[in-house]
mmCIF file of all heavy atoms in Angstrom:
data_model
loop_
_atom_site.group_PDB
_atom_site.id
_atom_site.type_symbol
_atom_site.label_atom_id
_atom_site.label_comp_id
_atom_site.label_asym_id
_atom_site.label_seq_id
_atom_site.Cartn_x
_atom_site.Cartn_y
_atom_site.Cartn_z
ATOM 1 N N LEU Z 1379 -3.569 15.751 -7.625
ATOM 2 C CA LEU Z 1379 -2.222 16.003 -8.114
ATOM 3 C C LEU Z 1379 -1.498 14.747 -8.563
ATOM 4 O O LEU Z 1379 -0.755 14.705 -9.489
ATOM 5 C CB LEU Z 1379 -1.434 16.738 -7.084
ATOM 6 C CG LEU Z 1379 -1.929 18.130 -6.682
ATOM 7 C CD1 LEU Z 1379 -1.152 18.729 -5.504
ATOM 8 C CD2 LEU Z 1379 -1.850 19.096 -7.888
ATOM 9 N N ALA Z 1380 -1.769 13.666 -7.842
ATOM 10 C CA ALA Z 1380 -1.154 12.319 -8.171
ATOM 11 C C ALA Z 1380 -1.675 11.908 -9.545
ATOM 12 O O ALA Z 1380 -0.939 11.388 -10.415
ATOM 13 C CB ALA Z 1380 -1.493 11.344 -7.139
ATOM 14 N N GLU Z 1381 -2.960 12.088 -9.751
ATOM 15 C CA GLU Z 1381 -3.534 11.706 -11.041
ATOM 16 C C GLU Z 1381 -2.968 12.525 -12.198
ATOM 17 O O GLU Z 1381 -2.617 12.028 -13.269
ATOM 18 C CB GLU Z 1381 -5.061 11.911 -11.028
ATOM 19 C CG GLU Z 1381 -5.766 11.510 -12.347
ATOM 20 C CD GLU Z 1381 -7.243 11.635 -12.328
ATOM 21 O OE1 GLU Z 1381 -7.821 12.211 -11.273
ATOM 22 O OE2 GLU Z 1381 -7.970 11.267 -13.251
ATOM 23 N N GLN Z 1382 -2.806 13.858 -11.954
ATOM 24 C CA GLN Z 1382 -2.262 14.733 -13.023
ATOM 25 C C GLN Z 1382 -0.850 14.331 -13.346
ATOM 26 O O GLN Z 1382 -0.415 14.459 -14.561
ATOM 27 C CB GLN Z 1382 -2.318 16.160 -12.525
ATOM 28 C CG GLN Z 1382 -3.734 16.741 -12.367
ATOM 29 C CD GLN Z 1382 -3.665 18.112 -11.768
ATOM 30 O OE1 GLN Z 1382 -2.626 18.707 -11.372
ATOM 31 N NE2 GLN Z 1382 -4.891 18.671 -11.586
ATOM 32 N N GLU Z 1383 -0.047 13.929 -12.372
ATOM 33 C CA GLU Z 1383 1.418 13.651 -12.568
ATOM 34 C C GLU Z 1383 1.723 12.185 -12.755
ATOM 35 O O GLU Z 1383 2.904 11.857 -12.909
ATOM 36 C CB GLU Z 1383 2.168 14.193 -11.398
ATOM 37 C CG GLU Z 1383 1.965 15.691 -11.269
ATOM 38 C CD GLU Z 1383 2.594 16.277 -9.952
ATOM 39 O OE1 GLU Z 1383 3.054 15.353 -9.111
ATOM 40 O OE2 GLU Z 1383 2.485 17.413 -9.671
ATOM 41 N N LEU Z 1384 0.737 11.328 -12.799
ATOM 42 C CA LEU Z 1384 1.025 9.904 -12.677
ATOM 43 C C LEU Z 1384 1.920 9.360 -13.833
ATOM 44 O O LEU Z 1384 2.916 8.713 -13.602
ATOM 45 C CB LEU Z 1384 -0.325 9.106 -12.715
ATOM 46 C CG LEU Z 1384 -0.212 7.570 -12.587
ATOM 47 C CD1 LEU Z 1384 0.441 7.144 -11.305
ATOM 48 C CD2 LEU Z 1384 -1.612 6.935 -12.705
ATOM 49 N N VAL Z 1385 1.615 9.708 -15.033
ATOM 50 C CA VAL Z 1385 2.363 9.224 -16.207
ATOM 51 C C VAL Z 1385 3.777 9.743 -16.179
ATOM 52 O O VAL Z 1385 4.712 8.990 -16.267
ATOM 53 C CB VAL Z 1385 1.656 9.541 -17.485
ATOM 54 C CG1 VAL Z 1385 2.554 9.144 -18.654
ATOM 55 C CG2 VAL Z 1385 0.302 8.837 -17.616
ATOM 56 N N SER Z 1386 3.903 11.049 -16.066
ATOM 57 C CA SER Z 1386 5.222 11.624 -16.147
ATOM 58 C C SER Z 1386 6.058 11.278 -14.950
ATOM 59 O O SER Z 1386 7.296 11.030 -15.068
ATOM 60 C CB SER Z 1386 5.150 13.176 -16.177
ATOM 61 O OG SER Z 1386 4.462 13.689 -15.023
ATOM 62 N N GLU Z 1387 5.523 11.276 -13.705
ATOM 63 C CA GLU Z 1387 6.336 10.992 -12.531
ATOM 64 C C GLU Z 1387 6.744 9.471 -12.518
ATOM 65 O O GLU Z 1387 7.838 9.149 -12.120
ATOM 66 C CB GLU Z 1387 5.535 11.328 -11.242
ATOM 67 C CG GLU Z 1387 6.310 11.081 -9.990
ATOM 68 C CD GLU Z 1387 7.562 11.987 -9.797
ATOM 69 O OE1 GLU Z 1387 7.859 12.835 -10.705
ATOM 70 O OE2 GLU Z 1387 8.244 11.891 -8.781
ATOM 71 N N SER Z 1388 5.845 8.578 -12.931
ATOM 72 C CA SER Z 1388 6.200 7.183 -13.011
ATOM 73 C C SER Z 1388 7.351 6.926 -13.943
ATOM 74 O O SER Z 1388 8.222 6.167 -13.669
ATOM 75 C CB SER Z 1388 4.961 6.304 -13.448
ATOM 76 O OG SER Z 1388 4.003 6.389 -12.404
ATOM 77 N N ALA Z 1389 7.327 7.613 -15.116
ATOM 78 C CA ALA Z 1389 8.378 7.491 -16.091
ATOM 79 C C ALA Z 1389 9.729 8.010 -15.518
ATOM 80 O O ALA Z 1389 10.806 7.405 -15.728
ATOM 81 C CB ALA Z 1389 8.029 8.212 -17.359
ATOM 82 N N ARG Z 1390 9.646 9.171 -14.876
ATOM 83 C CA ARG Z 1390 10.837 9.711 -14.221
ATOM 84 C C ARG Z 1390 11.460 8.829 -13.175
ATOM 85 O O ARG Z 1390 12.641 8.626 -13.186
ATOM 86 C CB ARG Z 1390 10.524 11.115 -13.623
ATOM 87 C CG ARG Z 1390 11.719 11.968 -13.267
ATOM 88 C CD ARG Z 1390 11.300 13.235 -12.502
ATOM 89 N NE ARG Z 1390 10.798 12.930 -11.171
ATOM 90 C CZ ARG Z 1390 11.556 12.807 -10.091
ATOM 91 N NH1 ARG Z 1390 12.867 12.975 -10.206
ATOM 92 N NH2 ARG Z 1390 11.063 12.578 -8.905
ATOM 93 N N LEU Z 1391 10.582 8.292 -12.292
ATOM 94 C CA LEU Z 1391 11.072 7.451 -11.246
ATOM 95 C C LEU Z 1391 11.633 6.170 -11.768
ATOM 96 O O LEU Z 1391 12.634 5.604 -11.252
ATOM 97 C CB LEU Z 1391 9.955 7.194 -10.243
ATOM 98 C CG LEU Z 1391 9.495 8.373 -9.437
ATOM 99 C CD1 LEU Z 1391 8.263 7.989 -8.599
ATOM 100 C CD2 LEU Z 1391 10.640 8.852 -8.560
ATOM 101 N N THR Z 1392 10.992 5.570 -12.797
ATOM 102 C CA THR Z 1392 11.543 4.397 -13.457
ATOM 103 C C THR Z 1392 12.947 4.577 -13.993
ATOM 104 O O THR Z 1392 13.801 3.692 -13.809
ATOM 105 C CB THR Z 1392 10.580 3.926 -14.575
ATOM 106 O OG1 THR Z 1392 9.283 3.596 -14.014
ATOM 107 C CG2 THR Z 1392 11.087 2.661 -15.263
ATOM 108 N N LYS Z 1393 13.206 5.731 -14.557
ATOM 109 C CA LYS Z 1393 14.449 6.010 -15.139
ATOM 110 C C LYS Z 1393 15.527 6.147 -14.048
ATOM 111 O O LYS Z 1393 16.637 5.565 -14.124
ATOM 112 C CB LYS Z 1393 14.406 7.320 -15.949
ATOM 113 C CG LYS Z 1393 15.725 7.702 -16.624
ATOM 114 C CD LYS Z 1393 15.582 8.985 -17.397
ATOM 115 C CE LYS Z 1393 16.889 9.396 -18.095
ATOM 116 N NZ LYS Z 1393 16.727 10.616 -18.872
ATOM 117 N N LEU Z 1394 15.181 6.775 -12.939
ATOM 118 C CA LEU Z 1394 16.064 6.889 -11.830
ATOM 119 C C LEU Z 1394 16.299 5.536 -11.194
ATOM 120 O O LEU Z 1394 17.439 5.196 -10.818
ATOM 121 C CB LEU Z 1394 15.516 7.891 -10.731
ATOM 122 C CG LEU Z 1394 15.464 9.336 -11.200
ATOM 123 C CD1 LEU Z 1394 14.815 10.154 -10.022
ATOM 124 C CD2 LEU Z 1394 16.773 9.905 -11.521
ATOM 125 N N ARG Z 1395 15.287 4.760 -10.954
ATOM 126 C CA ARG Z 1395 15.418 3.463 -10.374
ATOM 127 C C ARG Z 1395 16.330 2.565 -11.211
ATOM 128 O O ARG Z 1395 17.231 1.884 -10.700
ATOM 129 C CB ARG Z 1395 14.048 2.792 -10.246
ATOM 130 C CG ARG Z 1395 14.007 1.373 -9.716
ATOM 131 C CD ARG Z 1395 12.738 0.616 -10.170
ATOM 132 N NE ARG Z 1395 12.737 0.385 -11.577
ATOM 133 C CZ ARG Z 1395 11.724 -0.161 -12.199
ATOM 134 N NH1 ARG Z 1395 10.573 -0.473 -11.554
ATOM 135 N NH2 ARG Z 1395 11.728 -0.346 -13.516
ATOM 136 N N ASP Z 1396 16.107 2.508 -12.543
ATOM 137 C CA ASP Z 1396 16.897 1.661 -13.387
ATOM 138 C C ASP Z 1396 18.357 2.064 -13.382
ATOM 139 O O ASP Z 1396 19.303 1.269 -13.429
ATOM 140 C CB ASP Z 1396 16.360 1.669 -14.778
ATOM 141 C CG ASP Z 1396 14.994 0.936 -14.910
ATOM 142 O OD1 ASP Z 1396 14.560 0.363 -13.941
ATOM 143 O OD2 ASP Z 1396 14.349 1.173 -15.979
ATOM 144 N N ARG Z 1397 18.584 3.371 -13.305
ATOM 145 C CA ARG Z 1397 19.980 3.905 -13.301
ATOM 146 C C ARG Z 1397 20.664 3.464 -11.970
ATOM 147 O O ARG Z 1397 21.832 3.049 -12.033
ATOM 148 C CB ARG Z 1397 19.992 5.437 -13.396
ATOM 149 C CG ARG Z 1397 21.331 6.067 -13.170
ATOM 150 C CD ARG Z 1397 22.331 5.632 -14.209
ATOM 151 N NE ARG Z 1397 23.622 6.319 -14.027
ATOM 152 C CZ ARG Z 1397 24.785 5.935 -14.597
ATOM 153 N NH1 ARG Z 1397 24.787 4.817 -15.346
ATOM 154 N NH2 ARG Z 1397 25.852 6.571 -14.398
ATOM 155 N N LEU Z 1398 19.988 3.508 -10.886
ATOM 156 C CA LEU Z 1398 20.552 3.050 -9.617
ATOM 157 C C LEU Z 1398 20.862 1.564 -9.618
ATOM 158 O O LEU Z 1398 21.884 1.174 -9.064
ATOM 159 C CB LEU Z 1398 19.605 3.465 -8.417
ATOM 160 C CG LEU Z 1398 20.163 3.218 -7.001
ATOM 161 C CD1 LEU Z 1398 21.546 3.898 -6.824
ATOM 162 C CD2 LEU Z 1398 19.210 3.703 -5.997
ATOM 163 N N TYR Z 1399 19.902 0.754 -10.167
ATOM 164 C CA TYR Z 1399 20.225 -0.638 -10.322
ATOM 165 C C TYR Z 1399 21.545 -0.928 -11.085
ATOM 166 O O TYR Z 1399 22.329 -1.728 -10.676
ATOM 167 C CB TYR Z 1399 19.051 -1.325 -11.092
ATOM 168 C CG TYR Z 1399 18.011 -2.053 -10.145
ATOM 169 C CD1 TYR Z 1399 16.727 -1.694 -10.265
ATOM 170 C CD2 TYR Z 1399 18.471 -2.987 -9.255
ATOM 171 C CE1 TYR Z 1399 15.797 -2.323 -9.477
ATOM 172 C CE2 TYR Z 1399 17.523 -3.607 -8.434
ATOM 173 C CZ TYR Z 1399 16.201 -3.248 -8.536
ATOM 174 O OH TYR Z 1399 15.276 -3.899 -7.700
ATOM 175 N N VAL Z 1400 21.708 -0.206 -12.133
ATOM 176 C CA VAL Z 1400 22.940 -0.374 -12.942
ATOM 177 C C VAL Z 1400 24.180 -0.029 -12.124
ATOM 178 O O VAL Z 1400 25.223 -0.706 -12.093
ATOM 179 C CB VAL Z 1400 22.904 0.469 -14.267
ATOM 180 C CG1 VAL Z 1400 24.198 0.486 -14.946
ATOM 181 C CG2 VAL Z 1400 21.849 -0.095 -15.168
ATOM 182 N N LEU Z 1401 24.109 1.142 -11.419
ATOM 183 C CA LEU Z 1401 25.237 1.542 -10.618
ATOM 184 C C LEU Z 1401 25.576 0.612 -9.454
ATOM 185 O O LEU Z 1401 26.730 0.512 -9.045
ATOM 186 C CB LEU Z 1401 24.936 2.960 -10.095
ATOM 187 C CG LEU Z 1401 24.869 4.044 -11.156
ATOM 188 C CD1 LEU Z 1401 24.458 5.441 -10.456
ATOM 189 C CD2 LEU Z 1401 26.240 4.207 -11.856
ATOM 190 N N LEU Z 1402 24.574 -0.104 -8.958
ATOM 191 C CA LEU Z 1402 24.772 -0.956 -7.797
ATOM 192 C C LEU Z 1402 25.067 -2.428 -8.196
ATOM 193 O O LEU Z 1402 25.433 -3.257 -7.388
ATOM 194 C CB LEU Z 1402 23.589 -0.984 -6.862
ATOM 195 C CG LEU Z 1402 23.169 0.398 -6.241
ATOM 196 C CD1 LEU Z 1402 21.948 0.215 -5.368
ATOM 197 C CD2 LEU Z 1402 24.375 1.003 -5.462
ATOM 198 N N ALA Z 1403 25.048 -2.696 -9.512
ATOM 199 C CA ALA Z 1403 25.093 -4.076 -10.002
ATOM 200 C C ALA Z 1403 26.448 -4.767 -9.727
ATOM 201 O O ALA Z 1403 26.521 -5.977 -9.569
ATOM 202 C CB ALA Z 1403 24.767 -4.092 -11.495
ATOM 203 N N ASP Z 1404 27.533 -3.937 -9.563
ATOM 204 C CA ASP Z 1404 28.850 -4.534 -9.430
ATOM 205 C C ASP Z 1404 29.237 -4.701 -7.975
ATOM 206 O O ASP Z 1404 30.381 -5.088 -7.642
ATOM 207 C CB ASP Z 1404 29.865 -3.671 -10.125
ATOM 208 C CG ASP Z 1404 30.001 -2.299 -9.572
ATOM 209 O OD1 ASP Z 1404 29.087 -1.904 -8.863
ATOM 210 O OD2 ASP Z 1404 31.024 -1.648 -9.885
#
Side-chain angles (χ1 to χ4, degrees):
L1379 295 173
E1381 181 180 6
Q1382 292 173 0
E1383 300 170 357
L1384 182 60
V1385 174
S1386 60
E1387 183 65 2
S1388 293
R1390 189 186 74 87
L1391 291 174
T1392 298
K1393 184 178 179 180
L1394 293 177
R1395 178 202 66 186
D1396 292 349
R1397 174 61 178 163
L1398 186 53
Y1399 261 126
V1400 170
L1401 292 174
L1402 300 180
D1404 63 343

